[in-house]
Structures are given as structure tokens and as C-alpha cells.
């Protein structure tokens, strides 16, 4: 981006370029830099020499790289995706939860007698910040490095890690490539990388320039798929420190034991309750019944009711929902059984419940204010 910006402003000429070097070619082509690389290739003379370097080169990326090469010669220092023999690789089982993984990581750092400095890799930038604050809280000399930091903060963190001021660096995959710190003793993979190629680049931060290094990866029972992809890519089986995680162990712990099954629980008591008890509960939900004492208290608290003769003209009349809008005389005619039942039910309900007259004796003052007739717009 900086190169293209300088070229667009006329600050630099590319006509004298003889050698073009593309480092970490697989990641650059994979992350969408192909249009920019094509533009750079058009700015420089076609008689240049192009060099591409990468520790991993998948076949699909190789096809894209062939677009920028002419009569290429492939030189391999080792088989693609080969890990350095100077790096001791290990696996250790951990739980699924974050606090369980942090406990295992802290024990590994404290128990490592030959630990000089270490890089801890996380898959997400949010986890980098959480783990950084956790380690700092527990007294570790730690720093953080991820893509959301500005260039000045990243440079200061890397400089402190190089000169020994920071002994533990929590980083995302931004530090997995292009980070040249020769003397890194340990690399911890806090998260199993989703892409198997990233594992090769991560552990390549240690064991450099002929030095010995140690790479330990925390694996839960949910990471078996990604672990199998890493071992398939590197063509080697990584040894375990202790017992490997058992698939489905978390689900087994949740299953009740024989003693728990024999012990009655509150849920079983509710399940064994007779079904007939649900019917009164459903009936009460439609028409809630009040205790006799509470009903008597409410009767005392109610204001005195007006007689039926003093009912206002516009006051609502209580009516049963099932009653038909017919007169009482028509309902009591012989043969009209449905109307007679409705009237009888209405009379029984009125006798059982007190009559409610709207707002009762108390009328709010705002209802007594005179209103102005609406003006007609002519």
C-alpha cells in the first residue's frame, strides 16, 4: 500500500527494478493482495527476476503464483509444511472453558525450568486481550500484540520483547509470520489453529538459527478435527504430555449416577403428580378463585354500590359473553331452551358477584370539566 501510494504521487519510479521479492507468498495471495501484486508487476520491467518465499505452498496458491513467474525454478530447503527438527513439539489436554485453559497455561509457564521467553498464540484478538489481562493479574511480565494495535504500540512491544523487558508475549497470527526474534525458547498455542498451515508458522518462531525450542499446544476434546489436520499436513504424530482428552467426557459428567437416579428429585415429584390436578389449575387460570377471607376483606373495602334505579344512562351493563342479544321475554318462551339457559346463567352470575358501576361514587375531576364543541372549517 505504501509503495502504490508513493508511485501514485510521483515520488518513486519503478523502471529500474531488477529483482522483485515476495515474502510469505501464500498468505499474501490468499488474503486478497492479488490485484495489488498484479499492479506492482505491471509497474516494473518484465525482464525482472521474481523470487517467492514461503514455508507452506498449497496447490491452489501455487497455481496463482504461476501467473507472476516465467520459466520458474523451484528450490526446496525442505518438504513443504515441514517443522524444524530443533523444535520439540508436545500436546497437553485442557478443558473447553477459558478459565480451565488459562489454569493449564499458567501451570505450564511456572513449571518450565528452561523458559527464557515465550510467545502465546490465540486465534482471536479478543482472546489476546483477555489472556493478557489474566496473566498480568497473576504477576507475569507480559505484553500483547495483535492487528488492532497501532504501529507505534506494536513496535514498542516487539522492542521490549527483544531486549528482555517483556518475557511473555500474547499475540495473534500477526506475529506468526515475519517476526525475526532468534532467541525464543517456548511457543504456546493457547488455541489450536483453524488452518493447519498456521501451526507450522507459529512454532517456527522458536528453534531458529540452530537453537533448540519447545512448542506446546493446548487441546480440548473439541479440537480433535483441527489436530488431525495438523498431523496430516506435517505427516507426524505429536506426542502428548499426560493423557489425551476423552471425546464426550463433558457429556458423561453431566449424566446422573445410579445413586442420583434412585434419589427422588423435585422434578420427578412434579412429573409424578396426577394429571387430574392440571385441570383445576387450567380452570383457575380462566376464572381465578379468591379465598373466602380475602373476598370478605375486599367486600369491606369496596365503596357502597348504587341501586339499579340510579344507574347512569350510559353506564356499561355486565353481560355474559355467551348470552345472546335477545330480550328476557323472548328467552323465556316455551321451546327456546338456549335462550333460557343463558338468562338463568346471567341471573346466577349477577347474584354471585357484586354489581360494578363504572367508576363508582368517585368521579375524577377532569371528567367533570366542560368541553368545547369542535369548530367546523368552512
Amino acid at each position: 500500500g505504501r509503495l502504490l501510494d508513493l508511485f501514485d504521487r510521483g515520488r518513486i519510479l519503478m523502471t529500474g527494478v531488477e529483482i522483485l521479492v515476495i515474502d510469505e507468498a501464500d498468505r499474501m495471495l490468499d488474503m486478497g493482495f492479488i490485484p495489488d501484486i498484479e499492479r506492482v508487476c505491471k509497474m516494473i520491467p518484465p525482464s525482472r527476476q521474481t523470487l517467492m518465499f514461503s514455508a507452506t505452498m498449497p496447490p491452489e496458491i501455487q497455481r496463482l503464483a504461476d501467473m507472476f513467474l516465467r520459466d520458474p525454478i523451484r528450490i526446496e530447503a525442505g518438504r513443504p509444511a515441514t517443522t524444524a527438527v530443533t523444535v520439540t513439539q508436545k500436546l497437553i489436554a485442557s478443558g473447553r472453558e477459558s478459565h480451565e485453559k488459562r489454569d493449564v497455561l499458567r501451570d505450564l509457564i511456572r513449571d518450565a525450568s528452561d523458559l527464557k521467553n515465550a510467545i502465546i498464540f490465540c486465534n482471536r484478538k479478543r482472546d489476546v486481550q483477555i489472556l493478557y489481562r489474566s496473566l498480568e493479574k497473576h504477576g507475569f511480565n507480559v505484553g500483547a500484540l495483535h492487528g488492532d494495535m497501532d504501529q507505534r504500540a506494536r513496535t514498542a512491544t516487539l522492542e521490549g520483547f527483544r531486549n528482555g523487558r517483556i518475557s511473555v508475549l500474547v499475540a495473534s497470527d500477526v506475529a506468526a509470520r515475519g517476526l525475526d526474534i532468534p532467541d525464543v525458547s517456548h511457543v504456546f498455542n493457547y488455541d489450536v489453529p483453524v488452518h493447519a498451515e498456521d501451526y507450522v508458522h507459529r512454532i517456527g518462531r522458536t528453534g531458529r538459527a540452530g537453537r533448540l525450542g519447545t512448542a506446546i499446544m493446548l487441546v480440548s476434546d473439541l479440537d480433535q478435527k483441527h489436530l488431525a489436520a495438523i498431523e496430516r499436513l506435517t505427516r507426524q504424530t505429536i506426542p502428548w504430555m499426560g493423557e489425551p482428552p476423552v471425546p464426550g467426557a463433558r457429556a458423561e459428567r453431566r449424566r446422573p449416577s445410579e445413586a442420583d437416579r434412585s434419589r427422588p428429585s423435585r422434578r420427578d415429584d412434579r412429573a409424578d403428580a396426577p394429571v387430574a390436578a392440571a385441570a383445576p389449575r387450567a380452570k383457575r387460570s380462566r376464572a381465578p378463585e379468591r379465598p373466602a377471607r380475602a373476598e370478605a376483606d375486599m367486600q369491606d373495602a369496596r365503596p357502597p354500590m348504587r341501586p339499579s334505579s340510579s344507574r347512569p344512562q350510559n353506564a356499561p351493563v355486565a353481560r355474559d359473553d355467551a348470552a345472546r342479544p335477545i330480550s328476557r321475554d323472548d328467552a323465556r318462551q316455551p321451546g327456546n331452551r338456549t335462550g333460557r339457559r343463558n338468562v338463568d346463567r346471567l341471573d346466577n352470575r349477577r347474584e354471585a358477584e357484586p354489581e360494578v358501576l363504572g367508576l363508582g361514587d368517585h368521579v375524577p375531576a377532569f371528567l367533570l370539566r366542560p368541553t368545547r364543541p369542535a369548530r367546523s372549517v368552512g
Side-chain angles (χ1 to χ4, degrees), residues 57-258:
M57 185 64 68
E60 58 275 10
I61 303 299
Q62 179 64 43
R63 288 193 296 268
L64 295 176
D66 291 339
M67 297 189 305
F68 308 103
L69 302 177
R70 185 174 59 184
D71 298 329
I73 299 176
R74 183 166 181 167
I75 302 175
E76 294 185 359
R79 184 176 55 83
T82 302
T83 57
V85 295
T86 56
V87 179
T88 302
Q89 305 176 53
K90 298 178 182 179
L91 302 176
I92 186 169
S94 68
R96 301 180 185 179
E97 303 297 334
S98 299
H99 64 89
E100 297 175 341
K101 298 176 66 175
R102 291 194 293 266
D103 293 341
V104 174
L105 179 63
R106 288 193 297 267
D107 293 340
L108 289 174
I109 297 176
R110 294 189 182 103
D111 297 341
S113 58
D114 57 341
L115 188 144
K116 179 179 180 181
N117 52 11
I119 302 178
I120 305 173
F121 286 101
C122 302
N123 288 345
R124 297 182 296 181
K125 292 176 286 189
R126 183 183 65 180
D127 294 336
V128 171
Q129 286 297 119
I130 294 175
L131 183 59
Y132 163 73
R133 290 193 294 265
S134 176
L135 293 176
E136 187 180 35
K137 179 181 178 181
H138 285 80
F140 291 94
N141 186 12
V142 63
L145 183 67
H146 54 82
D148 286 346
M149 301 172 58
D150 56 12
Q151 187 63 34
R152 179 178 300 178
R154 282 188 286 181
T155 303
T157 302
L158 287 176
E159 186 63 26
F161 188 68
R162 285 192 180 96
N163 58 27
R165 184 169 50 85
I166 299 175
S167 59
V168 178
L169 180 64
V170 184
S172 61
D173 282 326
V174 71
R177 301 168 183 255
L179 186 62
D180 186 17
I181 302 177
D183 196 9
V184 177
S185 63
H186 284 70
V187 167
F188 296 100
N189 284 292
Y190 181 78
D191 296 319
V192 177
V194 178
H195 303 285
E197 294 83 2
D198 293 337
Y199 174 79
V200 179
H201 291 276
R202 285 182 180 185
I203 68 173
R205 301 308 98 193
T206 184
R208 301 172 68 86
R211 296 181 176 88
L212 299 179
T214 304
I216 303 177
M217 183 164 58
L218 282 67
V219 182
S220 67
D221 58 332
L222 299 178
D223 300 325
Q224 298 298 325
K225 176 182 177 182
H226 300 311
L227 175 61
I230 293 173
E231 293 182 341
R232 185 167 55 252
L233 176 68
T234 58
R235 299 181 183 179
Q236 59 179 331
T237 301
I238 307 175
W240 287 89
M241 299 173 58
E243 295 295 331
V246 180
R250 189 180 184 88
E252 291 293 337
R253 287 196 297 268
R254 289 184 176 181
R255 294 179 181 177
S257 60
E258 295 296 335

